[in-house]
């Protein structure tokens, strides 16, 4: 384990090239990045600049074409598929723009999902799911199916699912993209709360208002980091 | 009309757009419809067509039974005469008997297959000769019966269709018979001879009550009767049975107690044995078709799901629900009509194969053809198929909520199962496939077990042929014995011969005469006299057949030359008659008890033989010496390392050097005879197993299809699960679990179905129960494995899903 303010994520010269039908898309070029534990960082930039690609590499959903990436001090490149899956399951919590709740499962089961894949005991699962749902204010909807919830509620459940396993870092790709502004703000408040309680958060957004919730904002353009801003007294 | 045309046009276009779907669906249906049509054409020709006689439903077959003979097939002339005199429910009773005279005018003497029939036989069937005259009452007398009618085929083959043969003579069994007529080409005989050959000549029976063979207990004739107008089978049966009881009371010497008359509608008595097998096979093809329908319905459902937006759009634009249903039904109807056309082609081809492979024991198999009835059947089946496959998808598609389908809702949800009905179809398919597979396995096992039965002799390297001694010179029994002994001696001198013998009836040929076994030192009351099959053999018959001697000794040449009668019993007979004693040395008579005649001493006990076919139980058997009971139509058995063709040539030359008028027929190796005796079982088993295999294949495709589209539908869900930490093994387990659940439910239903349908199969099985637990478990395993194999590719595809799809948002 790294000490409280140590480096959680480190990237050096990360590149991502997509090869499709003889076309090379350079989605990311020479990304250097360090994220410390407990940071709330946002990634901003115009559509198609590579935000989601960066997040998917950070979240071990994809691997870089070139460059090095250390997660929690460990070089990621050498991991096998099942080790990557294990790390995704234990260290990373995902929040998607499209909520991505599983329609056949109840709210409770959806939140429970990451825990079942790591073999947590039923009693512990129950307690953790309960806690996570309480944190997002959805504990009263355990037996509902996602289709019976509003979009904002669904995204809150998705947040609960992301944090139920106590991940090192939360990755969110446009978590408010499918929400109206009122619900969007509620979710952002929720993330800010989580951050205040010590969570590391990495969020993609192209909404400037929400980017300001973060301590650090990375601006991407054409696959490169073009600017970095620091919010001085966020959370103060 | 206009809209129908539009629908058709659109349907054709849609099918053209997805050729894979169209081809798969059409081929699937063609297989199902083809199998049905082919089998239906057989059933139609063999079972559904009425018998080609005048008012065939008024015809019944009669047989005399008693306590001993519970399933009789024969009657006596005397009894038939008694019945004629007393019955009012029967209009007439005709008698007939197989007859195989020898024709000696050609280069080699030849056996001709024929029947001898009473003069009312053809009039009763409503058959008139195409040429010449019928058998007249005055022909049907012991001194006048030497006239024949020719079958059309024989007339063409032997007499080159020469009309001038009428009135001329043909020499049969060295006696001139006058040809009085030729039967019409369309005439179908009632039954074939044991050799399975259609009869070629028909003579008068020529009995009257004065003949010894006409006695009331001389049951060797077959009877067919026509019901009196207005009388039902039940009435006639009741009347005949009270007549039988009456007769038994009046003539206790002639009729055994508990006499009865077995009356069966002619169709049933003719088709009884094949009927259940054919219906069972037709049932199997129906199940195959249902599975095929389920497959196509499932494909159509998948298409309907993918067309939801289109349908919603049409609905929004004002298409009525009816219109939408019709449009979709048009498409499925098109598919099924194409399938039907394919099916007819397959059926044309399939019926040819069926005729080619079908055993001769299925009557009228050669009449099978794809005729208009069959085509109507196919049309009906195709339309039913179209509706069956199209209705569910059409209704499902038409139920789409227009608003919902046009909005971008439920985007945020993944993995909402839409395969409910298709899953049900898979369950049904697995169940049906299990039922057929279980049936196939039971039939196959029966077949193997029947083949495995030790016949009681060694069929390998065993050659057999038949010959007959005809003419006045063999009226002297000693001449017969001399001839036969001479033949055997000469055959034994041939190179390579181990042993050679003769018998009156070869195994699988049954028994010629069943006789009561009388014991000298035991007076058994008549009804309890054990009845045994009696065979006359030469001493070398046992070694030639490879039959084991169990106790005592075999016949010797000295026995054969001597005058004192001796007998050999089969083990079963000895055990039944002397359960606690040694039978050797006991004295018996076969037939009635005649204290004035000599008693035969039992000298040996031999093993039991499956005389009526390997899949029939062994019967009590007794062997006597050929020289003490001479017979004119022996069957020769030769054990040797010599091939059949050489043996035929050599035996023929030996026989013909002694008498050039001896016909020799049916030369065969014993193994071939055993194989032929299995041909019907083989036919049923092969066809049923074929359908079982097809069913399994179709069910596997069905499972594959549903699992594939399930995986396709759940790609998003799988991706998310993987993003959240599901390992490949988790995904594998999840998908397989779904497939296994469907399979398990199907197997459960199939098991229940197989058990409840098992009684239908019972009559076709041998040596195995219809619910044999081991077989059912094996089939369970096989079907489960096939189903899991069908899940394999979709499941593998599922484990290859890229978790990145979780991030995609479209
Ligand atoms: N799987 C892929 N194959 C080929 N090209 C891809 C793939 N994924 C992304 N790209 C390309 O890489 C670039 C970056 O895409 P990315 O999804 O990261 O953009 P984004 O910044 O998230 O945009 P948005 O704000 O619209 O979500 C784009 O040009 C995109 O077309
Ligand atoms: Mg993006």
């Amino acid at each position: 384990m790294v000490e409280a303010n140590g480096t959680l994520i480190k990237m050096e010269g990360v590149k991502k090239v997509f090869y499709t039908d003889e076309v090379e898309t350079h989605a990311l070029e020479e990304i250097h990045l360090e994220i410390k534990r407990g940071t709330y960082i946002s990634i901003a930039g115009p559509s198609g600049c590579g935000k989601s690609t960066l997040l998917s590499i950070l979240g071990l959903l994809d691997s870089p074409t070139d460059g090095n990436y250390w997660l929690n001090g460990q070089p990621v490149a050498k991991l096998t598929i099942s080790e990557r899956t294990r790390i995704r399951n234990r260290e990373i919590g995902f929040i998607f723009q499209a909520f991505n709740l599983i329609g056949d499962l109840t709210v409770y089961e959806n939140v429970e999902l990451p825990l079942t894949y790591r073999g947590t005991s039923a009693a512990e699962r129950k307690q953790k799911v309960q806690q996570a749902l309480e944190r997002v204010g959805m504990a009263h909807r355990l037996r509902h199916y996602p289709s019976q919830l509003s979009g904002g509620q669904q995204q809150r459940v998705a947040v609960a699912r992301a944090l139920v396993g106590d991940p090192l870092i939360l990755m969110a790709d446009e978590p408010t993209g499918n929400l109206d502004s009122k619900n969007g703000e509620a979710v952002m408040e929720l993330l800010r709360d989580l951050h205040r309680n010590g969570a590391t958060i990495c969020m993609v957004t192209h909404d400037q208002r929400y980017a300001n919730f973060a301590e650090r904002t990375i601006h991407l353009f054409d696959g490169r980091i073009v600017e970095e801003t620091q919010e001085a007294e966020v959370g103060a | 009309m206009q809209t129908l045309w539009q629908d058709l046009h659109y349907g054709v276009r849609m099918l053209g757009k997805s050729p894979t779907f169209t081809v798969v669906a059409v081929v699937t249906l063609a297989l199902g419809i083809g199998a049905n049509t082919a089998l239906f054409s057989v059933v139609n020709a063999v079972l559904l067509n009425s018998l080609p006689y005048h008012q065939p439903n008024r015809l019944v077959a009669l047989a005399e039974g008693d306590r001993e003979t519970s399933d009789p097939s024969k009657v006596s002339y005397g009894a038939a005469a008694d019945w004629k005199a007393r019955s009012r429910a029967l209009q007439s009773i005709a008698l007939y008997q197989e007859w195989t005279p020898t024709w000696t005018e050609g280069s080699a003497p030849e056996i001709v297959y024929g029947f001898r029939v009473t003069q009312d036989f053809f009039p009763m069937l409503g058959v008139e000769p195409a040429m010449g005259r019928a058998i007249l009452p005055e022909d049907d007398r012991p001194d006048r019966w030497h006239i024949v009618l020719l079958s059309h085929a024989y007339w063409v083959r032997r007499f080159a269709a020469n009309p001038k043969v009428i009135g001329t003579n043909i020499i049969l069994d060295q006696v001139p018979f006058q040809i009085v007529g030729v039967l019409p080409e369309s005439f179908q005989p009632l039954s074939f001879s044991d050799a399975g050959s259609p009869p070629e000549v028909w003579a008068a029976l020529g009995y009257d009550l004065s003949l010894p063979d006409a006695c009331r207990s001389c049951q060797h004739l077959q009877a067919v009767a026509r019901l009196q107008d207005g009388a039902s089978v039940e009435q006639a049966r009741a009347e005949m049975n009270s007549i039988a009881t009456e007769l038994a009371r009046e003539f206790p010497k002639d009729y055994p107690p508990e006499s009865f008359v077995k009356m069966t509608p002619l169709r049933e008595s003719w088709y009884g044995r094949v009927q259940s097998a054919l219906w069972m096979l037709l049932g199997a093809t129906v199940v195959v078709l249902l599975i095929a329908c389920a497959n196509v319905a499932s494909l159509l459902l998948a298409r309907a799901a993918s067309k939801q937006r289109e349908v919603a759009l049409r609905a929004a634009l004002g298409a009525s629900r009816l219109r939408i249903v019709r449009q979709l039904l048009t498409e499925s109807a098109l598919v099924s009509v194409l399938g039907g056309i394919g099916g007819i082609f397959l059926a044309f081809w399939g019926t040819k194969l069926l005729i080619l492979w079908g055993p001769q024991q299925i009557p009228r198999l050669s009449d099978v053809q794809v005729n208009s009835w069959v085509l109507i059947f196919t049309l009906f089946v195709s339309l039913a198929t179209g509706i069956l496959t199209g209705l569910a998808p059409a209704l499902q598609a038409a139920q789409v909520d227009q608003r919902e389908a046009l909005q971008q809702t439920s985007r945020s949800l993944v993995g909402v199962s839409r395969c409910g009905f298709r899953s049900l179809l898979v369950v049904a398919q697995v169940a049906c496939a299990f039922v057929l597979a279980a049936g196939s396995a039971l039939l196959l096992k029966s077949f193997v077990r029947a083949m495995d039965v030790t016949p009681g002799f060694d069929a390998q390297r065993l050659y057999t042929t038949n010959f007959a001694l005809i003419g006045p010179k063999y009226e002297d029994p000693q001449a017969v014995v001399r001839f036969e002994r001479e033949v055997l001696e000469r055959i034994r001198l041939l190179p390579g011969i181990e042993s050679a013998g003769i018998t009156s009836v070869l195994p699988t040929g049954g028994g010629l005469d069943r006789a009561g076994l009388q014991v000298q030192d035991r007076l058994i009351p008549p009804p309890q006299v054990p009845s045994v099959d009696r065979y006359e053999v030469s001493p070398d018959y046992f070694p030639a057949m490879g039959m084991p001697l169990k106790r005592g000794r075999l016949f010797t040449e000295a026995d054969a030359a001597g005058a004192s009668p001796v007998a050999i019993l089969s083990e079963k007979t000895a055990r039944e008659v002397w359960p606690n004693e040694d039978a050797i040395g006991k004295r018996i008579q076969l037939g009635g008890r005649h204290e004035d005649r000599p008693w035969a001493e039992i000298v040996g006990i031999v093993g039991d033989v499956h005389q009526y076919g390997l899949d029939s139980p062994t019967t009590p058997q007794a062997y006597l010496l050929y020289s003490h009971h001479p017979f004119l139509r022996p069957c020769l058995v030769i054990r040797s390392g010599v091939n059949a063709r050489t043996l035929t040539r050599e035996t023929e030359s030996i026989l013909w050097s002694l008498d050039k008028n001896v016909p020799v027929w049916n030369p065969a190796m014993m193994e071939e005879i055993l194989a032929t005796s299995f041909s019907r079982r083989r036919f049923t088993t092969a066809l049923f197993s074929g359908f079982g295999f097809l069913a399994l294949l179709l069910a596997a495709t069905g499972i594959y299809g549903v699992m594939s589209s399930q995986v396709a539908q759940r790609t998003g869900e799988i991706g998310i699960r993987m993003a959240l930490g599901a390992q490949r093994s988790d995904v594998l387990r999840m998908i397989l679990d779904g497939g296994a659940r469907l399979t398990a439910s199907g197997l459960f239903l199939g098991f229940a179905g197989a058990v409840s349908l098992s009684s239908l199969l019972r009559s076709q099985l041998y040596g195995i129960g219809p619910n044999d637990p081991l077989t059912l478990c094996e089939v369970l395993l096989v079907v489960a494995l096939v189903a899991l194999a069908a899940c394999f590719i979709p499941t593998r595809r599922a484990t290859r899903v890229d978790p990145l799809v979780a991030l995609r948002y479209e």
Side-chain angles (χ1 to χ4, degrees):
Chain A
M1 277 284 136
V2 198
E3 77 278 18
N5 259 2
T7 303
L8 189 60
I9 278 172
K10 188 173 173 194
M11 274 187 168
E12 266 179 10
V14 163
K15 264 194 194 174
K16 180 72 187 181
V17 186
F18 292 108
Y19 302 92
T20 40
D21 301 333
E22 294 162 27
V23 185
E24 281 186 21
T25 312
H26 291 256
L28 294 175
E29 299 270 15
E30 291 297 320
I31 300 288
H32 298 276
L33 183 66
E34 240 185 85
I35 302 175
K36 289 206 160 43
R37 181 175 282 269
T39 317
Y40 186 168
I41 186 170
S42 79
I43 303 170
S47 182
C49 69
K51 304 181 296 287
S52 294
T53 307
L54 180 57
L55 194 81
S56 68
I57 291 174
L58 286 169
L60 297 189
L61 290 172
D62 207 349
S63 22
T65 316
D66 203 0
N68 296 309
Y69 170 23
W70 292 266
L71 175 63
N72 207 5
Q74 190 180 17
V76 162
K78 295 208 180 79
L79 298 175
T80 64
I81 289 181
S82 89
E83 282 166 341
R84 294 164 69 93
T85 310
R86 222 177 78 89
I87 292 175
R88 275 206 304 275
N89 179 243
R90 292 179 177 252
E91 327 282 34
I92 301 170
F94 286 102
I95 303 163
F96 306 100
Q97 176 178 1
F99 320 152
N100 280 347
L101 297 179
I102 293 172
D104 282 342
L105 303 182
T106 60
V107 164
Y108 179 91
E109 290 161 339
N110 262 291
V111 175
E112 191 187 24
L113 213 51
L115 299 179
T116 57
Y117 289 132
R118 67 171 81 160
T120 312
S121 75
E124 196 184 339
R125 284 205 307 263
K126 189 168 181 194
Q127 183 209 338
K128 286 196 162 177
V129 172
Q130 194 72 35
Q131 266 174 11
L133 282 169
E134 268 162 19
R135 274 167 88 179
V136 301
M138 289 296 297
H140 58 301
R141 289 282 192 268
L142 291 184
R143 308 263 156 261
H144 283 59
Y145 282 91
S147 56
Q148 297 164 322
L149 302 178
S150 75
Q153 289 175 320
Q154 286 190 29
Q155 192 60 309
R156 269 147 67 194
V157 173
V159 172
R161 182 174 69 182
L163 54 86
V164 70
D166 301 316
L168 285 175
I169 183 165
L170 285 178
M171 305 262 180
D173 192 354
E174 312 228 16
T176 59
N178 271 7
L179 298 175
D180 57 36
S181 56
K182 188 170 146 273
N183 276 310
E185 257 163 54
V187 168
M188 292 314 289
E189 280 299 336
L190 189 57
L191 289 183
R192 182 149 69 182
D193 265 5
L194 292 172
H195 175 237
R196 282 203 189 108
N197 291 324
T200 314
I201 299 177
C202 183
M203 174 184 73
V204 167
T205 180
H206 52 219
D207 190 324
Q208 193 52 44
R209 281 178 301 152
Y210 297 145
N212 291 341
F213 278 73
E215 299 163 284
R216 268 176 83 188
T217 304
I218 298 170
H219 295 271
L220 280 185
F221 190 79
D222 264 2
R224 289 170 198 276
I225 299 179
V226 291
E227 197 194 339
E228 210 187 309
T229 47
Q230 297 279 75
E231 286 296 311
E233 70 288 27
V234 164
Chain B
M1 202 59 220
Q2 178 73 35
T3 53
L4 181 69
W5 182 245
Q6 268 179 17
D7 283 350
L8 264 178
H9 188 72
Y10 181 77
V12 170
R13 239 180 43 222
M14 290 318 285
L15 291 180
K17 267 193 194 163
S18 36
T20 323
F21 159 79
T22 311
V23 168
V24 169
V26 168
V27 167
T28 306
L29 287 186
L31 283 173
I33 294 176
N36 259 280
T37 304
L39 235 289
F40 177 77
S41 63
V42 174
V43 168
N44 181 48
V46 176
L47 299 183
L48 297 184
N49 268 352
S50 58
L51 299 175
Y53 308 127
H54 173 64
Q55 295 185 342
N57 295 335
R58 312 292 299 157
L59 295 173
V60 292
L62 301 179
E64 278 184 271
D66 53 65
R67 192 183 328 170
E68 297 277 288
T69 330
S70 57
D71 190 19
S73 59
K74 300 284 167 76
V75 301
S76 67
Y77 190 82
D82 288 340
W83 295 345
K84 270 187 208 170
R86 296 172 191 226
S87 167
R88 261 169 293 123
L90 296 181
Q91 205 173 64
S92 52
I93 302 175
L95 302 171
Y96 59 102
Q97 178 186 25
E98 227 179 88
W99 178 50
T100 45
T102 310
W103 180 76
T104 43
E105 289 167 89
S107 53
E110 226 176 76
I111 281 287
V112 185
Y113 295 99
F115 277 92
R116 282 169 65 181
V117 300
T118 49
Q119 48 85 18
D120 46 1
F121 180 83
F122 287 114
M124 178 190 288
L125 300 184
V127 174
E128 284 183 18
M131 260 191 307
R133 65 169 177 86
I135 300 173
L136 302 174
E138 52 267 36
D139 297 322
D140 195 6
R141 285 172 21 194
D143 53 336
R144 297 285 297 277
W145 65 277
H146 290 159
I147 53 109
V148 288
L149 287 167
L150 306 179
S151 79
H152 192 270
Y154 190 65
W155 175 60
V156 170
R157 182 162 65 82
R158 174 76 69 219
F159 299 100
N162 180 1
K164 291 201 186 111
V165 296
I166 309 267
T168 62
N169 281 347
I170 175 176
I171 310 292
L172 295 173
D173 281 345
Q174 303 195 340
V175 178
F177 281 72
Q178 193 189 24
I179 301 174
V180 297
V182 175
L183 289 165
E185 191 173 2
S186 60
F187 172 65
Q188 307 241 11
L190 274 180
S191 65
F192 290 174
S193 65
D194 279 344
S197 316
E200 301 170 317
V201 294
W202 301 75
L205 183 66
Y207 276 27
D208 71 16
L209 286 170
S210 69
L211 290 185
D213 276 352
C215 80
R216 285 188 175 113
S217 54
C218 303
Q219 286 130 357
H220 61 284
L221 302 172
Q222 284 173 281
V224 55
R226 181 174 288 283
L227 298 175
Q228 192 64 259
D229 292 337
S232 70
V233 176
E234 286 70 35
Q235 284 167 352
R237 189 176 286 140
E239 187 202 58
M240 287 308 291
N241 279 323
S242 65
I243 289 176
T245 319
E246 222 173 270
L247 287 170
R249 198 171 340 105
E250 283 174 40
F251 307 98
K253 276 200 198 123
D254 294 340
Y255 290 100
E258 293 178 41
S259 287
F260 67 93
V261 176
K262 183 181 162 202
M263 182 181 293
T264 14
L266 191 61
R267 160 193 297 285
E268 219 174 279
S269 88
W270 196 5
Y271 293 132
R273 291 168 66 196
V274 289
Q275 206 162 359
S276 54
L278 284 182
W279 284 122
M280 187 184 79
L281 287 172
L282 188 65
T285 62
V286 170
V287 175
V288 168
L289 181 62
L290 284 179
I291 297 178
C293 283
N295 263 358
V296 174
S298 179
L299 286 174
L300 284 165
L301 275 169
R303 264 166 76 84
S306 70
K307 280 204 283 190
Q308 249 168 10
R309 282 177 72 78
E310 180 206 316
V311 169
L313 193 68
R314 280 167 176 269
L317 293 178
S320 70
R321 180 160 292 189
L322 183 70
R323 181 74 208 278
I324 291 170
V325 168
R326 209 176 62 192
Q327 154 80 71
L328 290 163
L329 271 180
T330 311
E331 215 174 300
S332 68
L334 265 174
V335 169
S336 63
V337 165
L338 287 178
I341 293 171
I344 288 175
F345 277 108
L346 283 181
F348 260 117
W349 187 66
T351 42
K352 291 233 168 68
L353 286 183
L354 283 180
I355 296 170
L356 211 63
W357 288 345
Q360 285 176 320
Q361 291 105 306
I362 296 186
R364 303 173 77 189
L365 192 61
S366 54
D367 290 5
V368 171
Q369 50 170 329
V370 180
N371 60 17
S372 50
W373 279 113
V374 174
L375 291 183
I376 289 170
F377 170 83
T378 312
L379 184 73
F380 173 78
V381 167
S382 306
L383 287 182
T385 307
I387 293 170
L388 216 58
T389 55
L391 206 55
L395 288 179
Q396 174 164 327
Q399 245 157 26
V400 166
D401 183 335
Q402 332 169 351
R403 276 163 310 141
E404 189 195 314
L406 290 185
Q407 286 165 353
Q408 297 238 342
T409 58
S410 71
R411 280 282 167 198
S412 54
L413 300 179
V414 289
V416 182
S417 58
R418 293 237 176 66
C419 291
F421 191 67
R422 298 184 65 194
S423 303
L424 277 185
L425 288 178
V426 165
V427 170
Q429 284 183 312
V430 172
C432 289
F434 178 83
V435 170
L436 286 197
S440 309
L442 288 168
L443 286 172
L444 280 169
K445 280 198 177 185
S446 300
F447 185 71
V448 170
R449 283 187 194 185
M451 292 277 280
D452 245 19
V453 166
T454 27
F457 57 89
D458 178 6
Q460 280 173 1
R461 302 192 302 115
L462 190 60
Y463 168 88
T464 90
T465 189
N466 294 75
F467 64 91
L469 305 178
I470 48 174
K473 60 178 160 174
Y474 299 110
E475 274 159 23
D476 169 19
Q478 282 321 301
V480 175
V481 175
R482 269 198 307 277
F483 184 96
E484 288 169 351
R485 188 187 306 126
E486 179 71 23
V487 169
L488 288 174
E489 273 166 16
R490 289 201 194 182
I491 286 174
R492 277 183 210 120
L493 293 178
L494 294 174
I497 305 294
E498 287 164 32
S499 46
I502 55 169
T503 175
S504 49
V505 185
L506 198 65
T508 77
L512 263 195
D513 75 280
R514 182 157 275 209
L517 186 145
Q518 304 283 347
V519 183
Q520 188 177 33
D521 53 13
R522 209 192 298 171
L523 250 182
I524 310 171
Q528 274 130 46
V529 170
S531 103
V532 298
D533 279 324
R534 179 167 82 175
Y535 304 98
E536 284 86 34
V537 300
S538 69
D540 256 8
Y541 174 72
F542 301 106
M545 292 295 284
M547 284 168 61
L549 174 70
K550 299 292 185 180
R551 270 201 313 281
R553 63 172 179 84
L554 296 178
F555 293 142
T556 61
E557 289 301 335
D559 291 333
S564 54
V566 283
I568 286 178
L569 298 187
S570 70
E571 253 185 325
K572 188 188 181 91
T573 319
R575 199 172 46 243
E576 278 176 11
V577 182
W578 289 277
N580 307 315
E581 279 174 87
D582 191 357
I584 306 274
K586 295 281 189 296
R587 293 173 165 276
I588 59 167
Q589 273 178 353
L590 293 177
R593 196 181 175 97
H594 301 283
E595 300 295 352
D596 51 332
R597 292 192 202 158
W599 291 79
E601 183 190 339
I602 297 168
V603 295
I605 311 290
V606 292
D608 295 314
V609 170
H610 285 271
Q611 194 72 31
Y612 290 82
L614 295 196
D615 47 2
S616 298
T618 57
T619 42
Q621 292 144 3
Y623 299 89
L624 301 176
L625 269 167
Y626 79 118
S627 51
H628 298 163
H629 304 268
F631 49 100
L632 296 170
R633 293 186 168 227
C635 180
L636 190 60
V637 293
I638 303 175
R639 175 166 301 280
S640 76
V642 184
N643 68 47
R645 192 171 321 143
T646 316
L647 283 173
T648 303
R649 206 182 47 234
E650 284 172 342
T651 46
E652 272 175 356
S653 83
I654 287 172
L655 286 164
W656 291 340
S657 71
L658 291 170
D659 179 348
K660 65 174 177 27
N661 285 333
V662 171
V664 184
W665 74 100
N666 280 351
M669 295 306 288
M670 196 65 208
E671 282 176 314
E672 296 168 46
I673 294 176
L674 290 186
T676 316
S677 73
F678 278 119
S679 55
R680 203 166 55 90
R681 186 177 285 283
R682 183 181 298 118
F683 179 76
T684 317
T685 306
L687 271 188
F688 200 96
S689 317
F691 297 142
F693 180 77
L694 195 58
L696 211 53
L697 197 74
L698 288 175
T701 348
I703 296 170
Y704 171 82
V706 168
M707 292 306 286
S708 287
S709 47
Q710 229 171 46
V711 166
Q713 254 179 35
R714 293 177 76 176
T715 303
E717 178 201 339
I718 293 166
I720 290 157
R721 283 175 182 266
M722 288 178 110
L724 295 178
Q727 295 284 2
R728 283 185 173 178
S729 56
D730 294 317
V731 174
L732 186 102
R733 205 172 310 127
M734 178 176 85
I735 300 294
L736 269 190
D737 195 56
R741 244 168 243 246
L742 294 183
T743 309
S745 330
L747 288 177
F748 180 78
L749 281 181
F751 204 94
V755 168
S756 57
L757 291 177
S758 61
S759 55
L760 297 181
L761 206 59
R762 195 183 296 273
S763 66
Q764 308 293 325
L765 296 182
Y766 175 79
I768 193 166
N771 287 325
D772 183 59
L774 179 67
T775 311
L776 289 184
C777 287
E778 285 164 355
V779 173
L780 209 66
L781 202 68
V782 169
V783 178
L785 284 178
V786 169
L788 287 188
C791 295
F792 178 71
I793 296 175
T795 305
R796 224 171 59 136
R797 208 176 293 144
T799 63
R800 300 274 158 93
V801 168
D802 188 340
L804 252 182
V805 299
L807 275 183
R808 301 254 163 76
Y809 172 77
E810 290 149 277

